[in-house]
Structures are given as structure tokens and as C-alpha cells.
Amino acid sequence: MIEENLDGKKRYIVIFKNKNERKDKEKDKTEILQQSVGPRLHFIDVGVKTAGFAPPDDPYGLVALDINDFEFPMVFAALSEEEVNALKKDPNVALVEPDGKFYAQGLSPYWLPSEGNFFRGSELLPDTQTVISNGVSAQADSIPWGVSNIKAPMCWEATMGKGIHVAVLDTGIWPHEDLKGNLLGGISFVPGESWVDENGHGTHVAGTIAAKLNGSGVVGVAPSAYLYGIKVLGNDGSGNWSWLMSGLYWMRKYHGCTFDIANLSLGGSGAPSALETYINYASEQTLLVTAAGNYPADAPDKPVMYPAKYERCLAVSAIQSDNTIAKFSGRGPEVELCAPGVNIVSTLPGNNYGSLSGTSMAAPHVAGAAALCRGTHRSLKMDKIREILVNTANNLGVPGKDDEYGYGKVDCNGATFHKSCG
């Protein structure tokens, strides 16, 4: 993603009225939008894109993402204040609201709160080298402490998640040797960037979910689950909400029956109202596992970030190896489960391995657990899988649900072998 030069414009979400409610019923919404916008825009119909797609570079804001759907008639575009005012007066338009930014929720050793809750790929290298020299072997699988802590290995004789599809909405996934056979491909909604990860965050998340049990490297929670990278965060670790909405729409509209689980290790302190529409739509078929968010350890408040704050998302906080809440972890009434999120070893670009911390690292433990549970409960809907995960969690903190641990630490063994009549 190259640096933008929008010449005073900002990115917006334009929500149109349904076609039968518009004044200009014969015009497509892209025609209506173009009438109020000076430069000629290049519209990309999100829903018809196929695997491997990536939007072109868009430094001047001339590319608009089009959600061509009767129920969700929206366009995401860069607009001037004058253009926004014109669209707000248009009788065909229901709402115009700012887009906005969100970030990867993983912490590198060099994470600086003042620069946002994300890291750059170059910051991973020293930590990667340290971890490689401390036990990740080319001759045998290393089981990261988090995978053992949530009792995943106890399930592998019954299921490794084979045939379960997990979407990773993140910085993409690098085709790591330890993911070979499980990684099916990807798509990007980040201008000028392919779905292949050049940051490290998405690859690390993917490895925790489904690094293979193949005799080398590390092993994930569900080592036979299928992975698909949906790139909604740029290689700098930041993204526009419109990219996430495009990814969620594409996942549900054309592959909703394929993806059992989606991992969203990302978040922001505020979000456009339109985001919840896409969260609700995607969650009709797919369990959305989300990171609660990261904060400086001394922050007075650590509220759960968006989209984890939404009811249809399963919000996950991070714990340390002693089963206590991580100092950086978001917390609040929205938290349902907690999982390991400190010093988690997993895959990184370049066939490397590294240790990272964050609620970004906690969420994929739960996504992997959901894949294992799904593996032994294939007739159940994903809402029922979510219920099983919650009901079989190991309580931490005060009895019952609380703001730090939710219902407790996810328990793969309890969920996978839970007896359910459906």
C-alpha cells in the first residue's frame, strides 16, 4: 500500500437507499455517486472477485469499492467535503459517514503505544532469531505452551480439524512450509498489495490456528484445518474499516457456507455504524472470533475494541502462562473467553518462527478450539459451537462470568468431547 495523496479528500462510506426507495430508480448507485464526484472513479464490484484478487494502487483515491447488493447498497470512496455535502442532500442516499482506521492487535518487542497497536515487519526479525535459537526444531514439532495450555493435543486422536475451513482476516498469510497443505489461498482488499503477508501478523495468527503436525517447526491448535487469507490490513499493520467490510461481505456472500470460523485479530476504538451490518451478515454462517484489544499496561481503562464489542462477535482476552490476565489485554462485559496471549511462538514470513504477544495471539487459540469442536460436531450450527465453547470453559477469576476472563479459559478437550444432541 503506497502513501496516499488525496489532496484534502477523506475516505467515506456512502449508504444508498434500497433501489425501490430511490428517486432515480433506473440509475445504478455508481452513476448516482459519480454525478456528485469530480474525477472519474474506477468502481470495483467486491462480490464478483475471485481468489487471488487485489485492488490496484490507489494513491489519489480514484478507486471505489462497490457492494452491489440489494440489502447492502454501499460504496466506499475518497470524497471532498463539497462532494460529501452534495451526497447528503441527494434523495437517493441514506447516509454518508467517515471510514476510519483499525489495527492489528499483536505486540512486537518494539511496539510503541504512541504509534498505534500494530508493528512493522522489520521489528520482528530480532525476536524471530531469538526464538529460532531457543528450541524451534527442523527435526521435530514443537508444541507452543498455549496449544498445550488449552488441552488441544488431547483432542488430536479424535480430530485435528480436517475439513474445517477457517478464514483469517488480517495482513494476509505467507505460504510457510509449516502451513503447506492447509493454506488454500487468499484474496486482498488492500490497494496495491497481494494477499501474501509481508508484515508477519497474519502468518503468526495462522500458525497458531493450524500449523501442521509434520515433524518440524511448531504445531497449531487444529493442525489439519484449512486456512484462507483475507487481507484487510496492509503490510504496515493498519487498515480502513471499508476493507474489513469488503472482506466480510465477500466471505459471506460467496463463501459463507465454506467458512466455519473467521479469526479477526484486529480492532479499533471506534467504528462506523455500517460495520455492524457486515458483522451480523457474516456471522449468520460463520463464527467470528475476535481480539478484545491491546492497551499500554498502565492505561486506566482498557475497554473492548471494535469489532469484538459487537454481540455477534466472540471477544477473547489474553492471559499469561500463570493463567492471569495480561496487563495489556482489553477487558469488559463483552469478553466471553480468554486464551494464551503472551510469548506465543508461531510461524512468520520467510519460513521463520517468532514469539509475539497480544490479544491477537489469544483469539486464534479460540479459533483453533472452535475448529476442533466443529470437527466432532459437524451437524451443529456455529452458534451452537460457540455455546459449547462457552459452557465448557475453565473458570478463572471470580466464579461465573467476569470482565477479565469472560466465562473462562477455552478448553479444547471439554468442547471437542462435549455430548450434544444438537
Side-chain angles (χ1 to χ4, degrees):
M1 183 178 60
I2 62 177
E3 187 174 349
E4 292 183 329
N5 181 19
L6 300 183
D7 193 25
K9 293 188 176 185
K10 297 180 181 179
R11 295 197 174 274
Y12 287 88
I13 298 160
V14 183
I15 305 173
F16 290 81
K17 295 177 181 178
N18 289 339
K19 200 160 190 176
N20 58 1
E21 298 175 351
R22 293 179 203 161
K23 180 180 179 180
D24 298 325
K25 293 181 175 59
E26 302 304 315
K27 289 184 179 179
D28 186 81
K29 64 184 181 305
T30 57
E31 295 179 79
I32 296 170
L33 178 64
Q34 188 64 73
Q35 289 175 350
S36 298
V37 177
R40 189 72 187 170
L41 297 176
H42 172 53
F43 293 96
I44 293 177
D45 189 340
V46 169
V48 302
K49 295 306 172 185
T50 56
F53 167 77
D57 280 334
D58 186 30
Y60 303 107
L62 300 179
V63 175
L65 297 175
D66 177 19
I67 305 297
N68 190 20
D69 190 289
F70 180 80
E71 295 296 328
F72 312 109
M74 300 187 196
V75 176
F76 311 132
L79 303 169
S80 67
E81 185 175 353
E82 182 181 3
E83 291 165 344
V84 169
N85 290 334
L87 286 167
K88 286 181 176 180
K89 296 175 184 177
D90 193 313
N92 302 290
V93 175
L95 179 67
V96 182
E97 61 178 336
D99 195 339
K101 292 283 188 182
F102 64 97
Y103 304 94
Q105 294 299 306
L107 310 180
S108 81
Y110 307 100
W111 177 76
L112 298 175
S114 62
E115 295 185 10
N117 296 347
F118 60 91
F119 53 85
R120 294 171 289 277
S122 61
E123 294 172 339
L124 296 173
L125 297 179
D127 194 51
T128 303
Q129 294 166 352
T130 299
V131 173
I132 289 175
S133 66
N134 280 326
V136 176
S137 169
Q139 285 77 42
D141 278 297
S142 173
I143 301 178
W145 78 265
V147 175
S148 297
N149 186 266
I150 62 171
K151 306 176 188 175
M154 298 173 67
C155 307
W156 291 343
E157 286 191 10
T159 177
M160 292 188 183
K162 188 173 180 61
I164 308 304
H165 292 74
V166 184
V168 179
L169 285 85
D170 212 291
T171 61
I173 303 176
W174 198 85
H176 199 288
E177 281 295 318
D178 226 353
L179 303 176
K180 193 173 183 179
N182 289 349
L183 178 57
L184 301 182
I187 190 169
S188 173
F189 293 100
V190 179
E193 295 184 7
S194 79
W195 65 270
V196 176
D197 182 21
E198 294 183 21
N199 174 283
H201 189 270
T203 305
H204 196 277
V205 166
T208 295
I209 297 170
K212 290 180 70 68
L213 186 64
N214 56 4
S216 65
V218 298
V219 60
V221 176
S224 294
Y226 292 128
L227 296 165
Y228 198 91
I230 301 179
K231 188 166 189 167
V232 297
L233 286 162
N235 290 330
D236 66 353
S238 69
N240 293 330
W241 288 116
S242 56
W243 302 346
L244 175 58
M245 289 188 278
S246 297
L248 288 167
Y249 177 78
W250 182 86
M251 178 184 75
R252 170 66 180 91
K253 183 66 176 179
Y254 289 89
H255 299 274
C257 295
T258 297
F259 292 120
D260 304 281
I261 302 143
N263 190 94
L264 288 79
S265 287
L266 45 81
S269 57
S273 63
L275 176 61
E276 190 169 12
T277 299
Y278 290 84
I279 289 292
N280 292 343
Y281 182 57
S283 67
E284 289 176 4
Q285 297 286 344
T286 304
L287 175 60
L288 306 182
V289 181
T290 52
N294 304 333
Y295 292 89
D298 59 354
D301 297 302
K302 300 180 177 73
V304 171
M305 292 186 178
Y306 292 94
K309 189 178 283 289
Y310 295 127
E311 183 180 354
R312 293 297 298 167
C313 290
L314 198 169
V316 182
S317 63
I319 58 171
Q320 307 176 118
S321 58
D322 63 358
N323 289 328
T324 60
I325 190 79
K327 292 181 179 180
F328 57 75
S329 180
R331 55 203 72 187
E334 301 88 356
V335 172
E336 286 189 58
L337 293 171
C338 60
V342 177
N343 296 329
I344 304 302
V345 179
S346 187
T347 48
L348 287 173
N351 288 323
N352 289 320
Y353 300 88
S355 173
L356 296 175
S357 298
T359 53
S360 274
M361 286 61 251
H365 283 87
V366 174
L372 294 179
C373 183
R374 178 68 161 165
T376 55
H377 299 85
R378 292 177 186 259
S379 64
L380 299 183
K381 293 183 178 180
M382 293 312 299
D383 281 346
K384 184 65 176 179
I385 299 298
R386 178 177 181 172
E387 183 181 322
I388 291 173
L389 291 171
V390 166
N391 289 340
T392 57
N394 298 142
N395 186 76
L396 299 177
V398 299
K401 187 176 185 293
D402 63 75
D403 289 357
E404 293 186 344
Y405 305 98
Y407 291 98
K409 180 176 66 176
V410 68
D411 182 340
C412 294
N413 187 56
T416 299
F417 296 107
H418 181 268
K419 296 188 183 300
S420 175
C421 62

